[in-house]
Amino acid sequence: MGTLSVRESKTAQLKMSTVGNSTNIFWQESPVGKLERQKLLNQKGCVVWITGLSGSGKSTLACSLSRELYTRGKLSYILDGDNLRHGLNKDLGFKADDRTENIRRVGEVAKLFADAGLICIASLISPYRKDRDACRAMLPDANFVEVFMNMPLELCEARDSKGLYKLARAGKIKGFTGIDDPYEPPLKCEIEIQQKDGDCPTPGAMAGEVVSYLEEKGYLQDH
Amino acid sequence: MGTLSVRESKTAQLKMSTVGNSTNIFWQESPVGKLERQKLLNQKGCVVWITGLSGSGKSTLACSLSRELYTRGKLSYILDGDNLRHGLNKDLGFKADDRTENIRRVGEVAKLFADAGLICIASLISPYRKDRDACRAMLPDANFVEVFMNMPLELCEARDSKGLYKLARAGKIKGFTGIDDPYEPPLKCEIEIQQKDGDCPTPGAMAGEVVSYLEEKGYLQDH
């Protein structure tokens, strides 16, 4: 009967545990680690978490940032809250529990992407502080860069590019962040994007701010 | 009051829809696409889905494959069923519904990784045909490579590297695949790993078989 040559070493790496509803599960060590993937990519994996009101420019920044990173030869991937609701999170609604589960799953997936060596750009309203902080806590070594789109509600509502504020004001959407559901701004975040003299920064300027931060912290350097 | 310069073009890209419990959500197009990421990585994103009994060598193949791809300068990432139960899927157990949801989520995440340009190696027992086929259906352009670890139950049980078969036989684990829960082999899959003359292929030989397939289909070629 055949055997696997790595069987003994494999067994040594295994550790049985119980997590939530899952019993008798093992942690399987992968032979290619994060450091090796980062070497291949010439960058350091991390999560850029963009939070803010609907219409505050999260997706605009995410797109502009991924474009800027691409021109520098860096691999990023956008996890867009709305897009994920078409797939991974399509079973979830907008009640508080569902929002929390939505953000938890995005956090877990973002963590996988960072572990894969990518600069993962998560773009979600993520209105509750405790949900964002739970995602931050998932990431080791402070690889969580929180970007707060600090735009006034009036501006976001005036933009209303998706027409959602209008629906929320008319009572056709319930629990809309900023209208009848709270947005809790970060008490402390890595980057805050704001208006200057009443003007919004351009997409390029916003991306530049994040890129500068990533550069400074060594995320874009070769390893 | 400031405006976003890309606002008009953004609006044009948006399409409102209702998906499951999520209403009023939009699909936000990313400016850096899969083709560009593939160009950066010199490879084509896809999902290698390894299915088979516990102890059939899924993790061994996954590790060996990721190592072989790494030596060729290709970026892969392993989604291990057990590992994900520590994070993304820690709310799920092993009942049929939970197994289905477990596999659905792994399929959705694998799809994201393939879209990011990676060779995503999913390693899960995934015993039910309909669950695996649902994951296949998520991937466009046949980027789903199903690898069936076709090892006899007796061999897997004799290995029992995790000691789970013993527990299942003793009735201490219920619904264990191969013992008191069915494994449905693929009717048609891209790759089948089997014993030859009573010997199991080495991890390197198994990985070689998958790499040859990926090479032949153009997944490892520069773009």
Side-chain angles (χ1 to χ4, degrees):
Chain A
M1 179 173 290
T3 53
L4 292 176
S5 62
V6 294
R7 188 174 157 194
E8 280 72 30
S9 62
K10 223 182 106 181
T11 309
Q13 288 167 14
L14 294 170
K15 219 186 95 195
M16 189 152 72
S17 58
T18 297
V19 182
N21 291 324
S22 301
T23 50
N24 304 312
I25 55 176
F26 292 83
W27 181 260
Q28 175 68 46
E29 200 56 55
S30 157
V32 178
K34 186 180 180 187
L35 285 176
E36 287 167 300
R37 288 186 290 268
Q38 293 184 154
K39 209 172 156 185
L40 203 60
L41 290 170
N42 283 323
Q43 64 187 45
K44 203 175 149 196
C46 62
V47 175
V48 176
W49 191 279
I50 308 173
T51 173
L53 293 171
S54 178
S56 62
K58 295 184 299 299
S59 298
T60 302
L61 169 56
C63 291
S64 177
L65 176 59
S66 73
R67 173 60 57 192
E68 180 58 31
L69 288 170
Y70 182 73
T71 62
R72 290 165 183 250
K74 304 302 177 188
L75 185 68
S76 67
Y77 192 68
I78 297 175
L79 297 179
D80 179 279
D82 274 1
N83 287 6
L84 289 175
R85 284 183 177 276
H86 287 81
L88 179 64
N89 296 335
K90 69 178 168 190
D91 54 323
L92 303 174
F94 288 92
K95 285 176 296 187
D97 279 3
D98 279 6
R99 278 182 192 253
T100 294
E101 174 62 7
N102 181 54
I103 290 164
R104 184 190 76 82
R105 288 189 202 165
V106 177
E108 293 284 4
V109 174
K111 180 184 172 171
L112 296 175
F113 271 97
D115 185 50
L118 280 77
I119 296 162
C120 181
I121 305 166
S123 167
L124 295 90
I125 297 176
S126 45
Y128 308 138
R129 210 173 284 136
K130 72 169 172 36
D131 294 338
R132 296 192 305 266
D133 287 349
C135 292
R136 177 187 290 272
M138 288 178 196
L139 271 288
D141 309 326
N143 290 334
F144 188 88
V145 180
E146 193 172 346
V147 181
F148 173 34
M149 304 298 293
N150 190 4
M151 300 292 164
L153 173 65
E154 301 69 40
L155 170 65
C156 300
E157 192 168 354
R159 284 174 177 164
D160 204 12
S161 53
K162 300 176 181 173
L164 297 178
Y165 283 100
K166 207 175 161 189
L167 291 171
R169 289 288 184 196
K172 288 175 184 161
I173 303 176
K174 301 285 180 198
F176 195 75
T177 300
I179 304 299
D180 56 346
D181 212 64
Y183 178 84
E184 301 172 354
L187 297 177
K188 206 183 114 189
C189 63
E190 281 71 14
I191 299 169
E192 190 171 338
I193 307 278
Q194 284 180 291
Q195 291 182 297
K196 240 183 202 160
D197 307 322
D199 281 330
C200 288
T202 64
M206 296 193 292
E209 208 169 320
V210 180
V211 166
S212 296
Y213 181 90
L214 295 176
E215 211 157 38
E216 189 193 322
K217 297 290 177 183
Y219 289 105
L220 308 185
Q221 274 165 27
D222 295 358
H223 289 269
Chain B
M1 181 173 288
T3 55
L4 291 175
S5 60
V6 295
R7 189 174 156 192
E8 279 72 30
S9 62
K10 225 182 106 183
T11 308
Q13 288 167 16
L14 293 171
K15 218 184 97 197
M16 189 152 72
S17 58
T18 295
V19 182
N21 292 324
S22 300
T23 50
N24 305 314
I25 55 177
F26 292 82
W27 181 261
Q28 174 67 46
E29 201 57 56
S30 157
V32 179
K34 186 180 181 187
L35 286 176
E36 288 169 299
R37 287 185 290 267
Q38 293 184 155
K39 208 171 158 189
L40 203 62
L41 290 170
N42 282 322
Q43 64 187 44
K44 203 174 148 196
C46 63
V47 175
V48 175
W49 190 279
I50 308 173
T51 173
L53 294 171
S54 177
S56 61
K58 295 183 300 300
S59 298
T60 302
L61 169 55
C63 290
S64 177
L65 176 58
S66 74
R67 172 61 58 191
E68 181 58 29
L69 289 169
Y70 182 73
T71 62
R72 290 164 183 251
K74 303 302 177 189
L75 185 68
S76 68
Y77 192 69
I78 297 175
L79 297 179
D80 180 278
D82 274 0
N83 287 6
L84 290 176
R85 283 182 178 277
H86 286 81
L88 179 64
N89 295 335
K90 69 178 169 189
D91 54 322
L92 302 173
F94 289 92
K95 286 177 294 189
D97 279 2
D98 279 5
R99 277 182 194 257
T100 294
E101 174 63 6
N102 181 54
I103 290 162
R104 185 190 74 82
R105 288 190 203 165
V106 177
E108 292 283 5
V109 174
K111 181 184 172 172
L112 296 175
F113 271 98
D115 184 50
L118 280 77
I119 296 162
C120 181
I121 305 167
S123 166
L124 295 91
I125 297 175
S126 46
Y128 308 137
R129 209 174 284 134
K130 69 165 174 40
D131 294 337
R132 296 192 303 268
D133 287 348
C135 291
R136 178 187 290 274
M138 286 177 199
L139 270 291
D141 308 325
N143 290 334
F144 187 87
V145 180
E146 192 171 347
V147 182
F148 173 33
M149 303 299 294
N150 189 4
M151 300 292 164
L153 173 64
E154 302 70 40
L155 170 65
C156 300
E157 191 168 354
R159 282 175 181 165
D160 205 11
S161 54
K162 299 176 184 174
L164 297 178
Y165 283 101
K166 208 176 161 189
L167 292 172
R169 289 288 184 196
K172 288 175 184 161
I173 304 177
K174 302 287 182 196
F176 194 75
T177 301
I179 305 299
D180 58 346
D181 212 64
Y183 179 83
E184 301 171 356
L187 297 176
K188 207 185 111 190
C189 62
E190 281 72 15
I191 298 169
E192 190 170 338
I193 307 278
Q194 283 180 293
Q195 290 182 297
K196 241 182 203 162
D197 307 322
D199 281 329
C200 289
T202 63
M206 296 193 293
E209 209 169 317
V210 180
V211 166
S212 295
Y213 181 90
L214 295 177
E215 210 155 38
E216 190 193 320
K217 296 290 177 184
Y219 288 106
L220 308 185
Q221 274 164 27
D222 294 358
H223 289 267

